[in-house]
Amino acid sequence: QPRLVESGGGLVQAGDSLRLSCTVTGDRKYSDLDLGWFRQDPGSKPEFIAGISSSGKITSSSTKRGRFIISRDNDKNMVFLQMNNLVPEDTSLYRCAIGRDPLKDYIYYWGQGTQVTVSS
């Protein structure tokens, strides 16, 4: 099974930007599957942010569209989340996932997550 490892989180101030990365490793390329990002608060279910297919088709949450931009590098088995103009409410554990379209409903595997904390 694939292993998903996120990086790029940290403590930032409101208005700052962050770029999260997720590397997928395993016994094959996973370009036939969708990759995406969720965020999860303690005691809550993961909240869908955005997903992207190998062809670049993007699905995203309407509440984050515009500030959060997803991209993907199929050759490196990586997915990225560019987060701009962060606000304290964006503080959460950000997790990447792999699955099939629509990703928000069909997750196969999760990463452990990278913490993002936005101070006011």
Side-chain angles (χ1 to χ4, degrees):
Q1 67 184 49
R3 181 170 178 245
L4 288 71
V5 179
E6 303 92 337
S7 62
L11 173 63
V12 297
Q13 293 186 335
D16 285 351
S17 297
L18 272 179
R19 187 184 191 223
L20 305 183
S21 300
C22 174
T23 302
V24 183
T25 58
D27 58 357
R28 67 176 182 89
K29 291 281 188 183
Y30 295 96
S31 57
D32 57 322
L33 297 178
D34 285 20
L35 294 171
W37 290 95
F38 293 70
R39 66 187 189 188
Q40 187 172 22
D41 296 328
S44 299
K45 294 181 178 180
E47 177 189 8
F48 176 70
I49 298 173
I52 184 168
S53 72
S54 60
S55 64
K57 174 189 170 187
I58 293 172
T59 56
S60 60
S61 166
S62 60
T63 60
K64 298 167 190 61
R65 201 170 296 158
R67 288 196 303 125
F68 290 9
I69 302 168
I70 191 171
S71 61
R72 175 175 181 157
D73 186 329
N74 289 328
D75 290 336
K76 296 181 179 178
N77 265 359
M78 295 183 72
V79 62
F80 308 96
L81 185 68
Q82 177 68 40
M83 305 188 295
N84 300 318
N85 194 24
L86 287 162
V87 297
E89 291 74 24
D90 293 322
T91 295
S92 189
L93 181 69
Y94 284 74
R95 304 178 69 184
C96 71
I98 189 169
R100 67 175 181 87
D101 185 39
L103 187 65
K104 63 183 180 67
D105 297 324
Y106 295 101
I107 302 298
Y108 293 165
Y109 300 102
W110 292 95
Q112 292 297 307
T114 184
Q115 180 66 37
V116 172
T117 302
V118 184
S119 64
S120 58

